[in-house]
Amino acid sequence: MAIRPFTTLRHAITALLLLAGVLVGTEFWMRTRNVPSLAVVTCQATESEQCLLAPSAVTHHELRRSTTTDFLPCGQKTSVTVRVNSLGCRGGEVEESAKIGTRRILLLGDDTICGATVAENETVAAWLKKFLTKSVSGEFEIINGGVPGYCPLLSALQFENDLAKLKPDIVILHVDMTDIADDSRYRSLLLHDGDHAVCTHASFRIPPKPGNSVLNIVKQSAAASWLFAMTRQHGPELLSVSDAGSTGDVGLNWIADNPPDLRLQTRHALQPIRDLRDTVARSGGQLLVTTSPVLWQILPAKEAPTLSRHCGIKGATPFSSQFPFEVLASFCQESSIEFCDASPAFRRDDAVKLFSKEAPVLSKIGMALYAREIARSLIENPQFSSQIKM
């Protein structure tokens, strides 16, 4: 049989053109979808939240300022619109001084406070305003300063460098069960400059490498970003490797019934709360520390098997240990800081509705419950009565 080189070449060229057409078509189609960013700003936030974040020279990372983003949270079918103002807070712009007669409350914390998985009117901040307005006469301005992946260290830096000028009457800091691990991740990046400290993102410390045109094309490709994100998300599970130990074996171990000795890490993670207390006092406000449980402190791991594997949850669940809540209560008492433990309110028959199964945060129902408990604490606590009941 005679070999026809031109026919073979023509078939090869046709195949290459078809492949190129498929790749171009896929690229255009995926650019119309919400594709996870190829760049990981922080491993302490979910894949979908990376597009909301930007590196920071002061607080490691922050919400992208002055932006409005429609993005699809992991595991959800509908997108969420996230507005971020020029101060890096979720929501509309905020005047530097509150209106006369308006009580200004600032919320700080991580994903639970930011509420990127829910609409703006379903966040803890929005619900808190509704509950306070319903219970107490007068005007309230609630500012949502939550940022995915934050811990007390970053929240304290955020307030000192950006938000203290707002002079809130009350600052509420949410301490999350993941904050011990988060602090372990960021503390190595902390730099001290006299009396001030900054937590500089690694991208500001590493000199940029000479540009590579091929690599830049790959980085800007939606298809490559999707493939890389899926590999990063599912690779550890396929290899039976948990990333729970990536933060120095801290993870969520401290909430377990038989936790390892993490006294040093816990002390480091909580110390910035005292710094925040002092900074808030200098700005004329009062600090309230609050906390809520994660799923495994209330429900068995089988309620969220994929998330449980990803977070490296081991042993019988739900965990019965009250150690984390007792540590926080004791720390706040010793530091003369008011504390609200909302965990008892989460122990109810329909608790499964209160938690997300995609990330260790509350669901929108859980956020509403948490806001109700915070509002109750503010109203009933004599320390805040003068600020709340004008």
Side-chain angles (χ1 to χ4, degrees), residues 245-304:
S246 61
T247 57
D249 292 326
V250 177
L252 281 165
N253 289 337
W254 83 304
I255 72 171
D257 289 333
N258 296 296
D261 186 355
L262 298 172
R263 284 176 293 181
L264 178 62
Q265 293 91 331
T266 302
R267 185 164 62 249
H268 283 165
L270 299 184
Q271 175 57 40
I273 300 177
R274 290 195 178 106
D275 300 332
L276 178 61
R277 173 203 60 191
D278 296 340
T279 310
V280 170
R282 287 195 295 270
S283 70
Q286 294 176 280
L287 176 65
L288 172 67
V289 171
T290 68
T291 193
S292 62
V294 287
L295 182 146
W296 306 280
Q297 293 171 308
I298 305 294
L299 298 167
K302 65 180 182 181
E303 294 292 347

Side-chain angles (χ1 to χ4, degrees), residues 13 16 41 111 147 182 196 203 206 229 289 297 328 343 355 365:
I13 293 175
L16 289 174
V41 180
D111 322 45
V147 179
D182 292 344
H196 298 280
S203 62
I206 303 175
V289 171
Q297 293 171 308
L328 288 172
S343 61
F355 301 94
I365 299 176

Side-chain angles (χ1 to χ4, degrees), residues 24 29 100 143 167 202 206 228 242 295 306 310 318 344 365:
V24 171
W29 180 81
I100 297 176
I143 302 172
K167 297 187 180 303
I206 303 175
F228 185 81
S242 171
L295 182 146
T306 302
H310 181 73
I365 299 176

Side-chain angles (χ1 to χ4, degrees), residues 14-305:
T14 301
L16 289 174
L17 290 174
L18 288 174
L19 178 60
V22 170
L23 291 175
V24 171
T26 301
E27 180 69 20
F28 276 109
W29 180 81
M30 294 194 74
R31 284 182 181 272
T32 65
R33 301 296 188 269
N34 191 294
V35 179
S37 171
L38 187 61
V40 178
V41 180
T42 175
C43 294
Q44 308 308 95
T46 64
E47 296 291 339
S48 60
E49 289 170 337
Q50 302 298 325
C51 66
L52 302 174
L53 305 175
S56 168
V58 176
T59 60
H60 184 270
H61 65 278
E62 62 183 14
L63 290 174
R64 294 183 180 276
R65 303 188 183 209
S66 304
T67 59
T68 299
T69 306
D70 292 326
F71 87 110
L72 190 65
C74 294
Q76 294 187 194
K77 296 182 179 180
T78 56
S79 62
V80 175
T81 299
V82 176
R83 293 189 303 160
V84 182
N85 62 29
S86 58
L87 291 172
C89 297
R90 185 175 180 185
E93 289 297 330
V94 178
E95 297 291 334
E96 185 166 325
S97 298
K99 295 180 180 178
I100 297 176
T102 299
R103 284 144 295 181
R104 173 173 281 179
I105 299 176
L106 170 65
L107 270 68
L108 302 176
D110 63 357
D111 322 45
T112 293
I113 297 301
C114 179
T117 60
V118 302
E120 194 173 300
N121 63 353
E122 296 175 323
T123 61
V124 173
W127 278 109
L128 180 60
K129 182 174 182 177
K130 295 173 187 175
F131 287 128
L132 289 177
T133 303
K134 183 178 179 180
S135 303
V136 183
S137 61
E139 293 293 325
F140 290 91
E141 181 184 27
I142 315 295
I143 302 172
N144 185 348
V147 179
Y150 264 29
C151 60
L153 171 63
L154 300 188
S155 293
L157 294 174
Q158 176 194 25
F159 183 80
E160 179 182 1
N161 290 277
D162 272 323
L163 304 181
K165 61 185 177 184
L166 296 177
K167 297 187 180 303
D169 299 302
I170 298 173
V171 175
I172 299 173
L173 173 68
H174 165 68
V175 177
D176 195 79
M177 294 295 113
T178 62
D179 283 349
I180 307 302
D182 292 344
D183 183 89
S184 297
R185 171 78 68 174
Y186 302 128
R187 186 157 293 277
S188 62
L189 300 174
L190 197 63
L191 296 174
H192 292 275
D193 181 14
D195 295 333
H196 298 280
V198 294
C199 184
T200 306
H201 192 276
S203 62
F204 288 91
R205 305 184 181 201
I206 303 175
K209 296 180 179 180
N212 185 306
S213 57
V214 175
L215 182 59
N216 288 335
I217 292 174
V218 173
K219 285 184 176 181
Q220 296 172 7
S221 168
S225 295
W226 176 85
L227 180 61
F228 185 81
M230 292 302 101
T231 301
R232 192 169 63 234
Q233 181 178 355
H234 299 293
E237 289 187 18
L238 293 175
L239 296 173
S240 298
V241 176
S242 171
D243 61 356
S246 61
T247 57
D249 292 326
V250 177
L252 281 165
N253 289 337
W254 83 304
I255 72 171
D257 289 333
N258 296 296
D261 186 355
L262 298 172
R263 284 176 293 181
L264 178 62
Q265 293 91 331
T266 302
R267 185 164 62 249
H268 283 165
L270 299 184
Q271 175 57 40
I273 300 177
R274 290 195 178 106
D275 300 332
L276 178 61
R277 173 203 60 191
D278 296 340
T279 310
V280 170
R282 287 195 295 270
S283 70
Q286 294 176 280
L287 176 65
L288 172 67
V289 171
T290 68
T291 193
S292 62
V294 287
L295 182 146
W296 306 280
Q297 293 171 308
I298 305 294
L299 298 167
K302 65 180 182 181
E303 294 292 347

